[in-house]
Amino acid sequence: MPRLSEVIAALDALWPPERAEGWDAVGTVCGDPDAEVRRVLFAVDPVQEIADEAVRLGADLVVTHHPLYLRGTTTVAAGHFKGRVVHTLIKHDIALHVAHTNADTADPGVSDALAGALDIRVVRPLVPDATDPSGRRGLGRICELDHPMTLGEFAARAAAQLPATAQGVRVAGDTEALVKTVAVSGGSGDGLFDAVRASGADVFLTADLRHHPVSEATQHAPLGLIDAAHWATEWPWCEQAAAQLDEISDRHGWDLRVHVSKAVTDPWSSHHSSGAPN
């Protein structure tokens, strides 16, 4: 069985921490480098529900996409909800490791997994990483559909193939317009409209779209927009990342047991609507 330090070295090779944004907080949050690792659990959010699942599973390592402590803190006391997560993990000898923006821009990265969940072919990054001579790394992806379909049909595909959440998907634009080129970005994406327009994409699927950027984008050009839940656009990465670690485990003879949490940790719990306005 590998030590934690060996598994973390493998994860850092997949998602080098130096490629994370300067504001980000990635890497190992807790864990003994010399501890043995047998079971690994992947999840989007380092919340108590995931920590409790790791305990039930008998996991030795949890890998999440979102950081536990994105900003500095002066306490990990269990009286605070983040401190309870740390206490739960340490009490049961479970390590926590985070791959966030360094996984967003990786090859393959979060948006590759999102494209895979939607069954669309990746062509290139939406915002290429200038340090990558191969031109494969970067934020978001430009993709192609095998056959054109209407915006409404593509939105229905997204709703059916992404993990179910209370939000579902929201659509802006002419639902009868034909789309062929798709821009995707897992997680919050309304800061990428300039790159999307420059790409010539017919539709942009992302999360956390706000009123004013969407209003301006739809007035600027006939771009279709699909707004999915943040968690749903990033959860496919967990399956992709677990498969990558499985392959590494097989290659090294580690015999790891790698799991993906199915817990829906999207914070929105219900959706109510009186119907679309006339």
Side-chain angles (χ1 to χ4, degrees):
M1 286 178 287
R3 294 178 300 164
L4 175 63
S5 59
E6 294 175 287
V7 178
I8 296 302
L11 298 181
D12 283 347
L14 293 174
W15 316 298
E18 62 270 18
R19 292 186 186 147
E21 295 289 339
W23 51 263
D24 205 359
V26 302
T28 306
V29 178
C30 63
D32 179 353
D34 292 324
E36 292 184 336
V37 176
R38 294 170 293 274
R39 290 184 183 272
V40 182
L41 177 65
F42 282 85
V44 175
D45 298 301
V47 294
Q48 189 65 44
E49 183 176 3
I50 298 302
D52 292 341
E53 180 179 354
V55 172
R56 293 193 302 271
L57 185 66
D60 306 293
L61 169 63
V62 176
V63 180
T64 64
H65 182 51
H66 290 152
L68 178 63
Y69 290 104
L70 188 55
R71 296 174 179 83
T73 186
T74 59
T75 178
V76 293
H80 186 270
F81 69 92
K82 292 189 177 186
R84 285 199 300 277
V85 170
V86 174
H87 276 252
T88 299
L89 296 175
I90 292 177
K91 186 183 298 184
H92 294 89
D93 295 320
I94 303 170
L96 173 62
H97 187 78
V98 174
H100 192 211
T101 53
N102 48 330
D104 286 334
T105 58
D107 173 33
V110 169
S111 292
D112 292 292
L114 174 56
L118 297 168
D119 292 328
I120 53 179
R121 178 172 57 87
V122 171
V123 177
R124 63 185 186 276
L126 173 60
V127 182
D129 181 344
T131 68
D132 177 23
S134 73
R136 296 177 59 87
R137 292 200 309 267
L139 188 61
R141 294 294 184 266
I142 299 298
C143 309
E144 294 284 343
L145 295 170
D146 289 335
H147 305 285
M149 62 177 63
T150 68
L151 175 61
E153 289 170 336
F154 182 65
R157 174 192 286 196
Q161 295 185 205
L162 291 178
T165 61
Q167 172 181 317
V169 301
R170 301 186 297 177
V171 183
D174 179 3
T175 56
E176 295 302 315
L178 286 179
V179 299
K180 172 74 165 152
T181 303
V182 181
V184 300
S185 184
S188 303
D190 65 13
L192 299 173
F193 281 129
D194 286 344
V196 172
R197 282 191 288 265
S199 75
D202 303 309
V203 58
F204 180 33
L205 187 151
T206 187
D208 298 341
L209 292 180
R210 296 170 295 159
H211 174 89
H212 292 297
V214 169
S215 178
E216 292 175 3
T218 56
Q219 294 297 313
H220 191 283
L223 174 67
L225 299 174
I226 300 178
D227 179 43
H230 190 121
W231 174 86
T233 65
E234 294 182 329
W235 183 85
W237 172 80
C238 295
E239 291 197 321
Q240 175 180 277
Q244 289 176 280
L245 183 57
D246 261 333
E247 190 277 329
I248 292 170
S249 173
D250 290 344
R251 189 177 349 127
H252 290 289
W254 286 348
D255 196 29
L256 291 178
R257 299 292 183 265
V258 182
H259 306 262
V260 176
S261 175
K262 301 298 193 296
V264 178
T265 56
D266 186 79
W268 299 104
S269 58
S270 65
H271 176 88
H272 301 271
S273 174
S274 60
N278 292 328

